[in-house]
Amino acid sequence: MLENNLWYQNSIFYEVHTRAFSDSNQDGIGDLNGLTQKLDYLKSLGVDCIWLLPIYPSPLKDDGYDISDFYNVHPDLGTLEDFKKLVEETHRRGMRIIADLVVNHTSDQCRWFQEAQSNPDSPYHQYYVWNDTPEKYRGARIIFIDSETSNWTWSEKAGKYYWHRFYACQPDLNYDNPAVREELKSIMRFWLDMGIDGFRADAVPYLFEREGTNCENLPETHAFLKELRRLMDAEYPGRILLAEANQWPRDLRAYFGDGDEFHMAFRFPLMPRMFMAIAKGDSTAIVDNLDQSPEIPANCQWCTFLRNHDELTVEMVTSEERQFLWDFYAPEPRMRLNLGIRRRLAPLLNGDIDKIELLYAILFSLPGAPIIYYGDEIGMGDNIWLNDRDGVRTPMQWSAKANGGFSEKLTGNLYLPVIQEGKFGYPQVNVEAQINDPNSLFNRLRRLITVRKSHPAFSRQEIEILYRDQPEIFAVQFSESGGKIICIHNLSSRVQDIVLPDLQCNLLTQSTNQTKYGIDLPAGKISLEPYAYVWLSHCL
Ligand code: BGC
């Protein structure tokens, strides 16, 4: 196994929806063997760690986040043997792999819930949260506001209401029950014993409920999560827990504890602010957020991202900021979902490859380990006419062949339709074409990844923000042994003239749209093209 227990601090992560990635058996559904066949592709992009969306048996009412059996693989995707092979092959290539751990709830089709409903004396009855009325825990918000009106649903069979923070088909587990806490630990051991490198833990703020609170981030929840960390450290050192907690900065910071809870957490509050900054041509939103972000323990790391498999959430912004983001990025009602925007990265930026490259450069210059959502490395489009969040989960576009090279199934439907029309259709946007084009998004991103990986100092937490009085610019400086690194980005549509601090620097990399004539390092001057960036190193 690969050594270095802090590996996650400077890794490039990649989020895979197995169902969407590559179909090895022509049934129109991506599968584990299909993913295994594409590992060399991920390696060539520079990926260090894969995060798999849920791969477990499920009725797929929430695309696999409604698990009916936590100890198996969904038959559409393959077998436990296929899974083991995927893990082995990933490791053989020097990469790692983590799996989704859905902690908060099960599917209503899970055997536990079926028994819980039909038999109040079954031990499984106590696996869930019941009440005679829907009045308890009124302080808890509803998350899926477009489809649910209450966190309680009546069970005819049980003659009681059960508690759920997401869809009604996802009953919450009762973490006050020690048997549930032990069950979760068995689930973790089951998958860790198969060699995975950790978990992305889903929806962790909601594990316990207490009257008079909003039932989020409770001390009981943190205490239990620390217990899980102790299990990892004692039995599986070097494996990680990554938190999905869409919370305000102070509440989010708590998931790192004193370095004894999560190793990593998604940096939710920063994400919408990057979109705000590029829309306004003004870095203030990013800078303010960085200024206000609490420090995190030395053994932890942020996981930074632009997009993922969910809607682009705009919950953790002010109502004016939310309105701005909706108006700018989701002008059509179908583009909105709950409090978010169901669009992919490339369409959000109108397919403007320079802007996409710029946002990736900003992401890569920030403290944290970046994660790329499958398909966003080639600028895939979305389909807002599909249900729920399916529009951002369409088949990976590998080539200009039928089905975008995703599947050789030629009759009947794929699990979701491939995007074929318009500028984001697979004839235009696909891996094969981009690998062969040095200026493609894929190759631009690959170059950025290579540069970032050649300077491990990118994983540090201490940055200094430069050019604060020039809000069109977002620039950060940090130190490494050979001198300072300075990353300067122009968020605006106008050329920006930069006068460098009194330093001699080398050019580390620059955006594809930056002319080399605009960079005069001996004179300490840079004319930064619209939406361009320049990264400098060895600044002394
Ligand atoms: C996942 C969603 C899912 C929800 C319920 C999340 O936060 O990212 O895709 O619907 O948890 O499991």
Side-chain angles (χ1 to χ4, degrees):
M1 220 7 242
L2 313 152
E3 293 305 325
N4 177 12
N5 284 357
L6 296 178
W7 56 270
Y8 51 89
Q9 292 193 322
N10 203 17
S11 284
I12 305 291
F13 285 76
Y14 186 92
E15 176 183 356
V16 176
H17 193 15
T18 308
R19 193 167 284 277
F21 209 55
S22 180
D23 172 16
S24 73
N25 61 353
Q26 296 103 44
D27 65 353
I29 304 170
D31 45 51
L32 294 167
N33 289 337
L35 171 55
T36 304
Q37 288 162 12
K38 297 294 185 187
L39 288 174
D40 289 333
Y41 165 75
L42 296 182
K43 184 75 187 170
S44 77
L45 178 60
V47 170
D48 297 304
C49 183
I50 299 165
W51 154 33
L52 288 184
L53 292 188
I55 48 156
Y56 318 101
S58 161
L60 304 178
K61 295 285 178 339
D62 185 10
D63 214 6
Y65 282 96
D66 48 329
I67 299 176
S68 54
D69 177 0
F70 285 75
Y71 298 93
N72 216 331
V73 166
H74 196 294
D76 288 351
L77 308 185
T79 62
L80 284 170
E81 282 310 308
D82 297 336
F83 182 77
K84 276 192 206 149
K85 192 165 121 238
L86 169 65
V87 174
E88 270 166 36
E89 290 295 317
T90 305
H91 288 163
R92 208 162 62 77
R93 288 164 175 79
M95 297 188 285
R96 291 183 165 87
I97 184 161
I98 63 173
D100 227 293
L101 181 70
V102 181
V103 193
N104 183 65
H105 45 265
T106 72
S107 158
D108 59 359
Q109 303 304 307
C110 182
R111 183 174 59 84
W112 307 337
F113 190 67
Q114 300 284 312
E115 280 195 44
Q117 274 191 305
S118 51
N119 178 5
D121 298 325
S122 152
Y124 291 116
H125 191 75
Q126 300 305 330
Y127 266 41
Y128 297 91
V129 182
W130 303 97
N131 204 44
D132 291 333
T133 71
E135 300 309 321
K136 231 172 154 183
Y137 311 138
R138 299 295 288 232
R141 67 185 163 126
I142 293 166
I143 297 170
F144 286 164
I145 51 166
D146 285 358
S147 33
E148 299 296 333
T149 51
S150 168
N151 288 321
W152 291 105
T153 288
W154 176 252
S155 161
E156 201 59 57
K157 274 195 196 151
K160 294 179 190 173
Y161 290 88
Y162 63 90
W163 178 249
H164 55 89
R165 291 307 302 270
F166 295 93
Y167 287 126
C169 63
Q170 291 166 302
D172 271 34
L173 284 162
N174 171 19
Y175 277 96
D176 277 314
N177 177 357
V180 171
R181 302 202 292 270
E182 285 314 305
E183 185 82 52
L184 185 75
K185 290 182 194 167
S186 317
I187 295 168
M188 290 170 70
R189 290 190 179 100
F190 180 82
W191 293 100
L192 290 164
D193 286 342
M194 272 196 270
I196 60 165
D197 298 284
F199 297 105
R200 174 266 191 191
D202 181 60
V204 288
Y206 319 111
L207 305 189
F208 285 78
E209 301 74 37
R210 292 291 179 263
E211 200 57 282
T213 73
N214 66 358
C215 300
E216 299 189 17
N217 316 313
L218 297 183
E220 293 84 347
T221 295
H222 284 291
F224 176 59
L225 293 168
K226 287 192 165 78
E227 210 175 306
L228 300 183
R229 173 63 181 267
R230 285 197 292 277
L231 179 157
M232 301 282 287
D233 285 350
E235 299 175 35
Y236 304 94
R239 324 271 188 111
I240 62 159
L241 288 172
L242 160 59
E244 191 227 7
N246 184 10
Q247 298 288 324
W248 290 98
R250 205 186 31 177
D251 292 325
L252 181 53
R253 164 66 184 79
Y255 286 88
F256 292 117
D258 295 321
D260 57 353
E261 206 167 313
F262 280 92
H263 302 77
M264 302 187 81
F266 288 116
R267 199 161 190 174
F268 273 102
L270 192 53
M271 180 274 297
R273 292 175 171 87
M274 288 189 267
F275 286 98
M276 190 124 71
I278 198 164
K280 292 189 166 171
D282 180 330
S283 62
T284 310
I286 303 178
V287 172
D288 286 353
N289 185 264
L290 291 174
D291 284 344
Q292 290 154 16
S293 285
E295 278 186 21
I296 64 173
N299 60 343
C300 294
Q301 183 60 299
W302 291 111
C303 192
T304 53
F305 64 103
L306 293 169
R307 288 294 296 114
N308 64 18
H309 64 290
D310 286 326
E311 68 272 30
L312 187 167
T313 135
V314 288
E315 278 161 309
M316 302 300 152
V317 295
T318 64
S319 42
E320 297 88 69
E321 290 170 332
R322 185 175 307 131
Q323 198 57 51
F324 172 82
L325 288 163
W326 275 338
D327 293 343
F328 193 88
Y329 287 112
E332 290 177 36
R334 282 291 304 179
M335 293 173 175
R336 299 183 193 181
L337 180 71
N338 300 316
L339 283 182
I341 300 169
R342 51 175 156 192
R343 302 184 73 193
R344 266 189 183 265
L345 179 63
L348 282 166
L349 299 176
N350 287 324
D352 183 328
I353 189 170
D354 293 332
K355 286 188 185 172
I356 302 171
E357 184 186 350
L358 177 69
L359 267 197
Y360 273 123
I362 292 175
L363 185 80
F364 280 47
S365 74
L366 290 168
I371 187 157
I372 299 159
Y373 181 47
Y374 89 90
D376 280 355
E377 74 276 27
I378 55 167
M380 261 173 59
D382 50 39
N383 179 351
I384 58 170
W385 302 104
L386 296 177
N387 192 30
D388 200 349
R389 290 146 291 173
D390 285 352
V392 299
R393 302 175 184 180
T394 58
M396 180 70 178
Q397 297 171 195
W398 293 103
S399 70
K401 287 200 216 121
N403 295 327
F406 159 76
S407 170
E408 285 173 16
K409 183 177 182 202
L410 293 179
T411 51
N413 293 336
L414 305 179
Y415 80 95
L416 282 178
V418 70
I419 294 181
Q420 43 190 354
E421 307 294 336
K423 65 178 175 185
F424 298 110
Y426 68 78
Q428 269 66 43
V429 175
N430 65 67
V431 170
E432 200 174 273
Q434 293 206 10
I435 282 183
N436 297 321
D437 169 3
N439 281 336
S440 68
L441 182 58
F442 175 85
N443 280 317
R444 293 181 188 204
L445 191 55
R446 186 156 69 163
R447 281 195 290 273
L448 262 176
I449 292 175
T450 310
V451 169
R452 190 187 147 109
K453 283 167 85 158
S454 59
H455 291 267
F458 274 104
S459 69
R460 81 285 152 238
Q461 294 300 332
E462 307 75 36
I463 52 168
E464 199 184 316
I465 296 169
L466 305 178
Y467 306 107
R468 284 177 179 267
D469 55 355
Q470 210 171 335
E472 296 85 355
I473 294 296
F474 174 68
V476 289
Q477 163 179 294
F478 54 93
S479 298
E480 65 172 359
S481 52
K484 293 192 163 74
I485 291 188
I486 301 180
C487 305
I488 312 169
H489 314 86
N490 180 4
L491 285 157
S492 78
S493 55
R494 289 175 307 278
V495 172
Q496 297 293 316
D497 290 321
I498 309 286
V499 180
L500 290 175
D502 203 6
L503 294 170
Q504 283 303 311
C505 301
N506 293 350
L507 181 62
L508 182 56
T509 191
Q510 69 193 66
S511 53
T512 316
N513 62 347
Q514 172 65 29
T515 73
K516 61 177 188 283
Y517 308 107
I519 306 175
D520 185 355
L521 292 183
K525 285 189 183 153
I526 298 179
S527 264
L528 211 50
E529 294 293 324
Y531 304 111
Y533 65 87
V534 169
W535 287 7
L536 307 168
S537 68
H538 299 93
C539 302
L540 295 169

